[in-house]
Amino acid sequence: MNHLDLLTFARGSALNWALIIFVAGVALRLFEIFGLGRKADLARPRTDSPGSGWRTIVTRSLPPEGMLKREPVTYIGGFVFHIGLFVAIFFFAPHIEFFRSMTGLGWPSLSSALVDASVVAAIVALAVLLAHRLNHPVKRLLSTFGDYLAWTLALLPLLTGYMAYHHLMLEYTLMLAMHLFSVELLLALLPFTKLFHTFSVFISRWYNGDIFGRKGVAS
Amino acid sequence: MKQAEQPGSVGEGLKQRGITRREFLKFCTAMTAMLALPPAMASVMAEAISKARRQSVIWLSFQECTGCTESITRSHSPTLENLIFDLISLDYHHTLQAASGAAAEHARELAMKGNEGKYLLIVDGSIPLGNPGYSTIAGISNYDMLLETARGAAAIVAVGTCATYGGLPKADPNPTGAVSVGDIIKDKPIINVPGCPPIPVVMTGVLAHFLTFGNIPELDALGRPKSFYGETIHDRCYRRPFYDQGKFAQTFDDEAARKGWCLFKLGCKGPVTYNACATTKWNDGTSFPIQSGHGCIGCSEPNFWDAGPLYKALSMPVSATAAMLGGAAAAGAAAGVAITWHNRSTKAAAKAAHEKVTVQELMREEK
């Protein structure tokens, strides 16, 4: 199997299976989570706080007062990584073509240089966050295999994409195939790892805000 | 071809034809530049070629469309006429030779005997292994003729994607069981010059290298000369800046296409195609596919016919569809409902099995 054959496989059957597992997995997890249900809350809300859930989606996404000073690496690193990843996924022209082919929707792309810079920022942020996780006693204690797995799955597509674009280490076609395989690994495992927060993060923030609002607790 | 009248060396032949040393050096300088050799090699090349005996060449055509021959006849530097009359002795070539039938085969046998171990074998077209009768020449199957002719060759140049990697005949479902020259011949140096067809000056350039150095040029992992196949079309494309700026043609006739913006979205395979089209160009350096408004189809890559639709961008899935994802979502949702049902029935069973304990019962147990 030559490099182009490998790339064709990565764009073909391998991608199909990864997408099937990803979509089915996400649907399964969402139904499972929503299907858990909650007992009807018969008590009258402590405070009349409409929109508490929606507000919390925003407030929990920003550092509370003083926390940015106490945990600058976690907050800044987290933001840089997530924004960098978002820009790379949704604003690189070839990626938009992928979404257009699957959904029919297209939007303007950013220049390669800007996407490149955001990828570098995301990779650096991931490296710093890992170093911090390993050096911070509390973070290290709290970390499990799942955290390191999620870190690796997020890093590989960024790294292989960067190396393919810059023709580093492997021949371009082969590296592009590796990039696709790393994305496929990410897609297949995302619904079943901590990376599922991609879909659940705002749902859980809304729920927390809403339930605390009803109980009269600031959130 | 009249062997007796041919001069012994290339230099003599050039003199006879009134080609000056200045003209010949100019040609050698162009060749060294094209082969990415140091400028000083031009005079070495001139020396070597002019002293060399005209190289005996046998050209075999198997399952092919004659596009490779058509292409090489358009070579401008050197021209095919230059090559045939000055540099090589083309002893056998179906399309170009005057002889036919038994006389033609006799010419091949004569060349093989007279230049045992020294002649250069050029092959275009793939070789069918499914049935020897799929392609024969003078009643000899392609497979047998290749084995027989390759035996005494100094080296083999496989020209065109069919001879190098199987090409169109090998495309799925490969009805003739087509294979490349390299799939059959393992004990001879093979230079792969892929392309559908290959660039004329790349073919003649490779021949010039062989004549000059008597060996094969540096090859990549797919057996291609690095001097011509070292970089991708995309990396050397004059439209590359548009790719980097995010400026793309969306259709073949929109404003962006007229402005000459990047053709990536229209399925250009330039990023994964290694060839010299963007630098040497075609027809005496006039143009190449992308310059004339069509994306690269990747014709010099192995199995390019089966590498996804020609007009789908490289980053698009080959076969995934929205319907497929809809099916996956439905299956996932069904599984989610099943799990929910299971969770709820477990909860209900636990609730049903729950026994209430009164304070009295607890106090009795304490006693």
Side-chain angles (χ1 to χ4, degrees):
Chain A
M1 197 179 239
N2 63 62
H3 297 174
L4 188 64
D5 287 340
L6 204 64
L7 179 65
T8 308
F9 171 66
R11 291 172 63 206
S13 317
L15 181 63
N16 292 0
W17 280 110
L19 284 171
I20 286 171
I21 295 170
F22 171 73
V23 173
V26 169
L28 184 148
R29 291 295 308 275
L30 287 176
F31 269 79
E32 188 189 10
I33 292 167
F34 286 121
L36 285 173
R38 286 285 180 269
K39 269 185 191 167
D41 188 355
L42 302 174
R44 202 152 26 131
R46 277 276 185 95
T47 51
D48 189 20
S49 171
S52 172
W54 297 105
R55 266 202 313 282
T56 309
I57 289 180
V58 179
T59 55
R60 283 268 172 112
S61 301
L62 300 169
E65 215 181 311
M67 283 304 280
L68 193 59
K69 248 184 191 166
R70 274 185 66 182
E71 280 297 330
V73 176
T74 308
Y75 278 104
I76 295 170
F79 267 102
V80 169
F81 163 69
H82 281 94
I83 293 168
L85 185 67
F86 184 82
V87 168
I89 293 175
F90 292 106
F91 289 99
F92 187 45
H95 296 169
I96 298 172
E97 281 309 284
F98 171 81
F99 294 115
R100 197 166 63 84
S101 73
M102 296 310 295
T103 63
L105 300 173
W107 53 89
S109 59
L110 287 176
S111 73
S112 303
L114 279 176
V115 176
D116 197 40
S118 65
V119 167
V120 172
I123 293 174
V124 170
L126 270 181
V128 170
L129 285 168
L130 179 70
H132 193 243
R133 185 184 284 276
L134 291 172
N135 286 318
H136 195 291
V138 178
K139 270 187 160 181
R140 197 173 57 219
L141 189 71
L142 292 172
S143 298
T144 62
F145 171 74
D147 293 292
Y148 297 111
L149 178 68
W151 183 89
T152 310
L153 291 174
L155 174 74
L156 288 178
L158 284 166
L159 201 61
T160 51
Y162 179 83
M163 292 202 293
Y165 183 76
H166 290 281
H167 296 221
L168 299 173
M169 265 179 68
L170 297 178
E171 183 272 315
Y172 178 76
T173 311
L174 182 60
M175 192 50 107
L176 192 60
M178 292 301 136
H179 177 58
L180 280 170
F181 286 136
S182 70
V183 171
E184 283 151 14
L185 191 67
L186 173 72
L187 284 174
L189 293 179
L190 186 144
F192 313 107
T193 57
K194 293 193 173 196
L195 295 169
F196 192 69
H197 76 264
T198 312
F199 291 89
S200 62
V201 63
F202 295 121
I203 299 170
S204 61
R205 276 180 195 167
W206 177 88
Y207 179 74
N208 281 338
D210 192 70
I211 197 79
F212 285 135
R214 286 180 72 86
K215 289 176 178 173
V217 185
S219 123
Chain B
M1 275 153 224
K2 289 175 265 172
Q3 296 278 334
E5 287 174 22
Q6 301 296 343
S9 74
V10 172
E12 270 181 58
L14 291 173
K15 228 176 270 170
Q16 268 184 15
R17 284 167 43 78
I19 292 170
T20 64
R21 184 161 170 80
R22 174 182 279 269
E23 280 169 331
F24 181 58
L25 268 172
K26 232 166 116 181
F27 156 73
C28 291
T29 308
M31 269 296 135
T32 44
M34 208 152 62
L35 290 162
L37 298 168
M41 287 307 287
S43 54
V44 176
M45 182 181 266
E47 197 71 15
I49 292 181
S50 60
K51 272 188 193 159
R53 274 181 66 85
R54 289 194 316 135
Q55 173 70 42
S56 169
V57 173
I58 296 175
W59 182 308
L60 298 178
S61 298
F62 297 141
Q63 291 194 127
E64 47 82 45
C65 67
T66 316
C68 297
T69 297
E70 286 284 351
S71 176
I72 202 170
T73 59
R74 275 108 177 131
S75 178
H76 59 87
S77 177
T79 64
L80 185 62
E81 292 85 347
N82 280 155
L83 255 178
I84 292 177
F85 293 118
D86 305 334
L87 304 175
I88 63 169
S89 167
L90 188 59
D91 295 326
Y92 181 86
H93 188 303
H94 290 168
T95 319
L96 301 176
Q97 72 192 146
S100 63
E105 292 313 302
H106 185 62
R108 179 173 66 90
E109 285 156 14
L110 216 64
M112 283 166 62
K113 262 187 214 141
N115 303 287
E116 178 79 29
K118 290 183 207 149
Y119 60 87
L120 190 65
L121 174 60
I122 303 181
V123 182
D124 70 331
S126 64
I127 302 97
L129 295 184
N131 182 328
Y134 283 145
S135 179
T136 63
I137 298 157
I140 306 167
S141 73
N142 290 170
Y143 178 77
D144 288 342
M145 189 177 276
L146 177 63
L147 283 190
E148 187 193 340
T149 320
R151 207 169 295 134
I156 302 174
V157 182
V159 300
T161 305
C162 296
T164 50
Y165 310 125
L168 181 63
K170 196 191 168 199
D172 188 45
N174 190 3
T176 62
V179 296
S180 69
V181 173
D183 287 334
I184 295 172
I185 306 295
K186 303 286 181 195
D187 57 349
K188 294 279 172 187
I190 299 176
I191 308 167
N192 283 335
V193 184
C196 193
I199 303 170
V201 291
V202 171
M203 287 188 268
T204 50
V206 168
L207 294 181
H209 181 106
F210 186 79
L211 294 172
T212 307
F213 299 106
N215 62 15
I216 60 172
E218 198 186 344
L219 307 176
D220 69 7
L222 290 170
R224 305 176 289 199
K226 280 186 177 170
S227 49
F228 296 113
Y229 297 90
E231 284 179 282
T232 65
I233 301 287
H234 185 60
D235 286 339
R236 305 291 287 173
C237 182
Y238 76 104
R239 296 197 191 202
R240 174 64 186 267
F242 295 119
Y243 173 89
D244 286 329
Q245 290 163 23
K247 290 178 175 170
F248 298 95
Q250 306 288 341
T251 65
F252 282 110
D253 58 354
D254 64 4
E255 189 55 32
R258 276 189 282 276
K259 281 181 180 161
W261 288 2
C262 178
L263 300 166
F264 178 86
K265 291 187 179 181
L266 294 168
C268 183
K269 303 295 182 291
V272 292
T273 305
Y274 290 81
N275 207 339
C277 301
T279 41
T280 64
K281 301 193 180 176
W282 293 70
N283 298 322
D284 204 354
T286 306
S287 178
F288 72 112
I290 294 172
Q291 196 172 342
S292 60
H294 193 285
C296 166
I297 63 168
C299 76
S300 55
E301 291 298 314
N303 303 334
F304 79 99
W305 292 107
D306 295 323
L310 296 182
Y311 296 101
K312 257 191 173 185
L314 202 56
S315 59
M316 285 183 175
V318 171
S319 53
T321 59
M324 187 190 89
L325 299 191
V337 169
I339 288 176
T340 299
W341 178 80
H342 174 75
N343 287 344
R344 292 201 166 187
S345 49
T346 309
K347 197 170 157 188
K351 207 171 173 186
H354 180 71
E355 288 173 18
K356 281 184 181 163
V357 182
T358 62
V359 177
Q360 282 77 14
E361 282 171 328
L362 286 174
M363 286 170 72
R364 261 206 302 279
E365 272 174 28
E366 270 178 24
K367 283 175 190 172

